[in-house]
Amino acid sequence: MIYLKRKVDAFLEEWNNNADKKPLIIKGSRQVGKTESIKRFAKQHYENVIEINFVEEPKYKMITSDGYKTDDIIKNISLIDPMKQFISGKTLIFFDEMQEFPEISTSLKFFHIDGRFDVICSGSMLGIQYRKIESNSVGYKVDYEMYSLDFEEFLWAKGYEDSFVYDLLEHMKTHTPFNEVTMSVCEGLFLDFCILGGMPAVVREYIVKGTFEGSLEIQRQLLADYKEDIRKYAEGMDQTRILNVFNQIPPQLAKENKKFQISKVASGARFKDYRGCIEWLNDAGIINICYCLNFPELPLKGNYEETKYKIYFADSGLLVAMLDEEAQEDLRANKNLGVYKGALYENIVGEALAKSGYGLYYYKRENSTLEEDFFVRTASELIPVEVKATNGRTKSLRTLIDGKKYIDIHYGIKFTGSNIGYCNDIYTFPYFCAFLLKRYLKSIDKGK
């Protein structure tokens, strides 16, 4: 099976080179490639690996019965399986599927103090389990959030080197349009990425076969698995409500007003009944929530209305897999995005921003046509980001840049299907450059 190079690989190397390395928790939604990347790293760097999967081997949930100290846990692991060897300084202990046994996170403090063994934990932090794990061993662990592949990792999978990405960024920094070959190649690759999403199983199938054959079946299986997770991990009556929200995301994104409306989810639905459901999906890494700003100004945190938001899928492949049969056929055979074009490009730009570490915010002025898709910030500026399905006028972007009351806004970014351009403080980039936005803004911030 081919290994897909991931950004977590470099992080694991960095972690390994730290003399005082703390236990590491790699979290993220299910099937984004956590276990595969950890196992590969472990094989390359350790003589001895102890792997415990709390889903496949629930008997290991008893290992903390004498307490959370390292010696007690090792003794109990050895009692269950005497073949497991613990060699000081040469052993990695890998606790997988820790959402099944969040209590294990309490032991991380003791493993760090003890210092004889390296520890990596991994899990799909589903709903309330995530909060249990977060509160344990604070100060004695390192957290890393892993996502499905972003467009850069997709390019790696297709065989493109770092130099190719560097060249894309240089064009952005110098505002030099791409030549015809680069535009054609990147647009083709990006459209494939939009249709596939970044789930490793889907991307691997596409790389091996060179076509979309089988990709929809894998996407639909992933969807079924996510729904099964909701039934398994969401407690009580919330399950149906969570599934209702999940199923409502594509039709609400396809509308011109993409604000998520709880009233459309079920008859008589109210925000207070559904609030925990949306947070659960967010904690599980299945969705990205984009909150409506009270006013487009800094700071962003605390300056938003928590009852007004748009919901995007954390992986665009899930959105694509939920489209109807006719749309699926048109999409894969003719690369035609139909009525979902705006929704898909907005979802994928939101996904790129979230994977770059940005929180998601938008703005819609009451009783006005003024609306902006996203906002990002630098140290001192607020930058509106518009996603256009067509290369039309950007009236809202113009208003925000020119308006005297928007003191934190000096220029805007527009992602569209056209080449790099600049006009009156609006920088235009092709959609496929969205994953580079943070690096681009950092470079021009330094330039100032």
Side-chain angles (χ1 to χ4, degrees):
M1 186 170 74
I2 59 165
Y3 179 76
L4 302 175
K5 178 185 167 189
R6 305 299 302 277
K7 290 182 176 176
V8 73
D9 300 340
F11 180 85
L12 284 164
E13 292 294 337
E14 206 178 289
W15 174 78
N16 191 49
N17 292 331
N18 189 331
D20 181 38
K21 55 176 172 283
K22 296 174 180 177
L24 171 64
I25 296 180
I26 295 184
K27 54 190 179 182
S29 60
R30 66 176 287 137
Q31 301 187 34
V32 295
K34 301 181 294 294
T35 302
E36 185 183 7
S37 294
I38 295 164
K39 280 184 171 179
R40 181 174 179 268
F41 164 78
K43 194 175 177 183
Q44 289 173 341
H45 292 86
Y46 292 90
E47 275 183 34
N48 190 42
V49 180
I50 307 290
E51 185 186 342
I52 290 168
N53 183 311
F54 291 114
V55 167
E56 292 173 6
E57 301 172 293
K59 62 190 175 188
Y60 282 101
K61 291 180 189 177
M62 298 186 291
I63 60 177
T64 57
S65 55
D66 296 323
Y68 295 95
K69 289 190 174 166
T70 303
D71 283 335
D72 292 331
I73 287 175
I74 286 169
K75 182 187 79 177
N76 285 328
I77 291 173
S78 299
L79 279 170
I80 294 169
D81 182 1
M83 298 301 287
K84 286 183 167 46
Q85 301 294 306
F86 292 86
I87 306 161
S88 182
K90 295 179 178 179
T91 298
L92 174 73
I93 302 171
F94 173 29
F95 294 119
D96 201 3
E97 304 283 9
M98 71 182 296
Q99 76 278 358
E100 280 289 316
F101 189 55
E103 289 82 355
I104 195 64
S105 54
T106 305
S107 71
L108 301 184
K109 172 182 177 179
F110 298 100
F111 274 110
H112 181 57
I113 292 165
D114 181 279
R116 284 175 291 162
F117 312 107
D118 292 346
V119 180
I120 297 179
C121 304
S122 165
S124 310
M125 306 313 185
L126 294 161
I128 201 73
Q129 312 297 87
Y130 173 76
R131 297 200 184 97
K132 284 184 198 167
I133 291 160
E134 278 292 275
S135 60
N136 293 340
S137 292
V138 174
Y140 293 95
K141 62 180 173 65
V142 177
D143 290 292
Y144 181 90
E145 183 95 31
M146 193 169 169
Y147 305 96
S148 61
L149 283 83
D150 67 6
F151 188 52
E152 183 168 15
E153 290 170 315
F154 182 78
L155 289 173
W156 293 342
K158 287 290 288 179
Y160 291 91
E161 302 286 336
D162 289 335
S163 57
F164 181 74
V165 173
Y166 176 80
D167 189 53
L168 296 182
L169 183 58
E170 280 304 301
H171 274 76
M172 290 174 76
K173 281 153 74 168
T174 56
H175 308 126
T176 309
F178 297 114
N179 67 24
E180 205 178 324
V181 177
T182 305
M183 277 300 286
S184 174
V185 167
C186 288
E187 282 175 340
L189 287 165
F190 189 71
L191 192 50
D192 285 358
F193 179 64
C194 286
I195 294 166
L196 295 159
M199 288 299 196
V202 181
V203 174
R204 190 178 282 112
E205 189 82 356
Y206 160 83
I207 296 297
V208 169
K209 291 185 175 172
T211 67
F212 292 132
E213 187 194 337
S215 60
L216 180 57
E217 287 73 16
I218 298 170
Q219 285 173 326
R220 285 186 171 157
Q221 184 55 54
L222 286 166
L223 270 182
D225 291 343
Y226 273 120
K227 288 178 180 178
E228 187 54 43
D229 276 344
I230 291 168
R231 293 185 191 97
K232 182 177 177 183
Y233 291 101
E235 292 158 9
M237 279 294 291
D238 277 351
Q239 293 176 15
T240 305
R241 286 179 180 161
I242 292 170
L243 283 165
N244 285 346
V245 170
F246 186 75
N247 291 325
Q248 267 291 307
I249 299 170
Q252 295 214 25
L253 272 181
K255 289 177 182 153
E256 195 157 333
N257 173 17
K258 294 180 175 64
K259 179 190 153 199
F260 195 82
Q261 294 172 288
I262 290 292
S263 58
K264 300 274 169 69
V265 172
S267 178
R270 294 170 301 175
F271 172 75
K272 69 183 183 72
D273 299 326
Y274 276 82
R275 179 178 178 163
C277 305
I278 290 150
E279 285 178 347
W280 191 95
L281 285 166
N282 191 48
D283 280 350
I286 296 170
I287 63 167
N288 293 319
I289 305 173
C290 182
Y291 288 103
C292 185
L293 292 173
N294 294 319
F295 190 77
E297 65 183 359
L298 295 173
L300 293 173
K301 284 188 176 170
N303 171 30
Y304 62 85
E305 175 56 67
E306 60 176 21
T307 62
K308 287 183 189 167
Y309 45 81
K310 295 184 284 188
I311 298 179
Y312 300 107
F313 281 108
D315 185 272
S316 64
L318 290 179
L319 171 59
V320 166
M322 290 178 82
L323 305 185
D324 52 63
E325 291 290 341
E326 293 73 23
Q328 287 289 352
E329 205 169 307
D330 207 15
L331 192 60
R332 282 172 162 75
N334 308 314
K335 305 280 182 81
N336 179 20
L337 305 174
V339 294
Y340 294 98
K341 185 174 186 176
L344 187 55
Y345 282 132
E346 207 173 299
N347 194 98
I348 207 148
V349 170
E351 181 187 332
L353 297 181
K355 286 175 175 176
S356 301
Y358 285 117
L360 300 186
Y361 303 95
Y362 77 104
Y363 180 64
K364 171 83 172 80
R365 193 160 76 195
E366 291 293 336
N367 308 316
S368 164
T369 57
L370 181 63
E371 183 170 9
E372 200 51 72
D373 299 322
F374 300 106
F375 288 85
V376 296
R377 65 164 299 174
T378 62
S380 58
E381 293 178 312
L382 183 63
I383 299 121
V385 177
E386 190 150 310
V387 183
K388 298 291 280 186
T390 58
N391 196 16
R393 290 177 64 223
T394 49
K395 193 178 164 193
S396 291
L397 203 49
R398 189 76 273 143
T399 302
L400 289 167
I401 295 164
D402 295 342
K404 288 193 167 47
K405 57 184 174 179
Y406 308 113
I407 56 170
D408 297 321
I409 297 171
H410 306 111
Y411 61 94
I413 305 278
K414 182 172 73 169
F415 287 109
T416 182
S418 59
N419 211 324
I420 290 176
Y422 171 78
C423 182
N424 295 335
D425 298 318
I426 295 175
Y427 297 87
T428 301
F429 298 111
Y431 301 121
F432 61 78
C433 290
F435 78 99
L436 286 166
L437 183 62
K438 195 167 200 173
R439 278 173 256 183
Y440 166 73
L441 292 175
K442 224 175 231 177
S443 73
I444 61 170
D445 215 31
K446 271 185 193 163
K448 287 175 188 168

